[in-house]
Amino acid sequence: MIADLRIQTLSQLSAGHEWRLSLPHDRPEQLLIWVTRGQGRLLLDGQRRGIGAHNAILVPARHLFALDLGRQAVGQVVILPDGSTLDFPQTPSQLRIRDGSAMGELTALIESAAREQQTARPLMEAALSAHGTLISIWLQRQLALEEHIAPRPNAAARLTSAYASRITQHFHQPMTMADHAEALQVTPTHLTRACKAATGRTAAELLTDRILYEARQLLTNTSVPAQDIARFLGFGSAAYFTRFMVHHTRSTPSALRRTATKPKDAA
């Protein structure tokens, strides 16, 4: 049986490797990230934003995002796995919580769910589902507040959001940034400028980073041969894939796989 909800710390989510959060990627799960200490940068829904303590970040499944956090950052993550009967609001959101009672309420809900998960008592799944429902209600109430109604994104952010959605769907296909620009009915130059303005990354960098994340994830978490990973990600040859990985990580695919069980980056 798939648990409707699980709780992890930010350190557990990164599994000891900073790239697992800092490289733009998407996940099959829905995430609620509750940052309780520290600051950094967030890429979400085609925009780059600053984040700090008591920020609640809602990341729907298959939405491109990245977190670049300082080493002192602390937080918890509520995960609704693919197949969960629960559902969080589907709007990518960053909520800067300023009300002390709202901070305490969310912290208490997450901590209570975490304790339930740790003790694994009878009816744990039902209890976690109930906690998830309460967390979803907390989110809906916060999103309804005027202070959390997001302003309409500008044209650059809207275009970058559409491009990010295409990346999540097609990153493993042999499509260039120019191919995506054509599909979006803009020039590559216009798409690049829009992405740079909205995210601080060029359109080509966003696509490259998503491919790089998937490559590292597959090399770290599976035993799939590198040549098959290369083929899946649209590389013309295993040699080209190796050159790509060396250029971006200074390591060959085989070297990355060998060191996968020896995390060096702090979460």
Side-chain angles (χ1 to χ4, degrees):
M1 177 178 179
I2 297 175
D4 278 331
L5 174 152
R6 67 178 187 268
I7 307 294
Q8 289 187 345
T9 64
L10 280 172
S11 295
Q12 289 171 329
L13 190 66
S14 70
H17 294 280
E18 187 176 314
W19 63 264
R20 292 186 187 274
L21 292 179
S22 63
L23 282 175
H25 64 288
D26 57 277
R27 294 169 180 258
E29 312 98 340
Q30 299 179 70
L31 303 180
L32 171 62
I33 301 170
W34 178 227
V35 180
T36 54
R37 189 179 74 192
Q39 57 187 3
R41 290 280 184 180
L42 166 71
L43 172 67
L44 180 66
D45 198 29
Q47 296 183 65
R48 184 177 64 173
R49 323 157 191 217
I51 56 174
H54 305 119
N55 278 203
I57 303 161
L58 183 59
V59 185
R62 296 306 179 196
H63 273 69
L64 196 72
F65 82 103
L67 274 176
D68 188 4
L69 296 169
R71 294 184 179 275
Q72 301 304 314
V74 174
Q76 292 176 295
V77 186
V78 183
I79 303 171
L80 299 190
D82 187 20
S84 171
T85 61
L86 297 172
D87 207 11
F88 285 162
Q90 294 302 298
T91 303
S93 304
Q94 176 190 8
L95 307 177
R96 294 182 171 92
I97 308 301
R98 298 180 175 85
D99 179 74
S101 61
M103 295 176 195
E105 184 179 3
L106 181 58
T107 297
L109 286 170
I110 294 175
E111 289 180 348
S112 183
R115 285 194 298 271
E116 190 69 48
Q117 178 179 268
Q118 291 166 359
T119 55
R121 296 179 295 175
L123 301 177
M124 178 190 71
E125 290 86 0
L128 287 175
S129 181
H131 286 304
T133 298
L134 290 173
I135 291 170
S136 181
I137 291 170
W138 183 94
L139 281 167
Q140 293 174 61
R141 287 172 172 169
Q142 290 298 316
L143 287 167
L145 296 177
E146 185 175 354
E147 65 189 271
H148 292 145
I149 297 176
R152 178 176 170 79
N154 60 28
R158 293 197 300 273
L159 176 57
T160 305
S161 179
Y163 176 56
S165 180
R166 286 192 59 82
I167 288 175
T168 63
Q169 298 174 52
H170 304 293
F171 69 87
H172 57 282
Q173 297 173 358
M175 298 180 68
T176 66
M177 179 273 290
D179 294 329
H180 289 291
E182 182 179 359
L184 292 166
Q185 299 182 329
V186 297
T187 66
T189 299
H190 182 64
L191 180 58
T192 292
R193 287 175 179 168
C195 289
K196 189 70 173 179
T199 70
R201 286 177 164 94
T202 68
E205 287 170 341
L206 287 172
L207 179 57
T208 294
D209 285 349
R210 180 62 185 90
I211 294 169
L212 180 60
Y213 176 90
E214 195 69 17
R216 297 196 69 157
Q217 184 84 336
L218 289 170
L219 288 168
T220 299
N221 292 350
T222 77
S223 59
V224 175
Q227 62 184 13
D228 292 341
I229 294 174
R231 189 178 303 113
F232 169 70
L233 293 175
F235 288 89
S237 68
Y240 180 30
F241 176 60
T242 296
R243 289 196 297 271
F244 173 87
M245 296 305 294
V246 170
H247 176 73
H248 291 287
T249 70
R250 299 183 181 180
S251 295
T252 64
S254 57
L256 287 171
R257 177 161 276 167
R258 283 196 303 270
T259 59
T261 57
K262 301 175 182 178
K264 297 179 180 179
D265 299 327

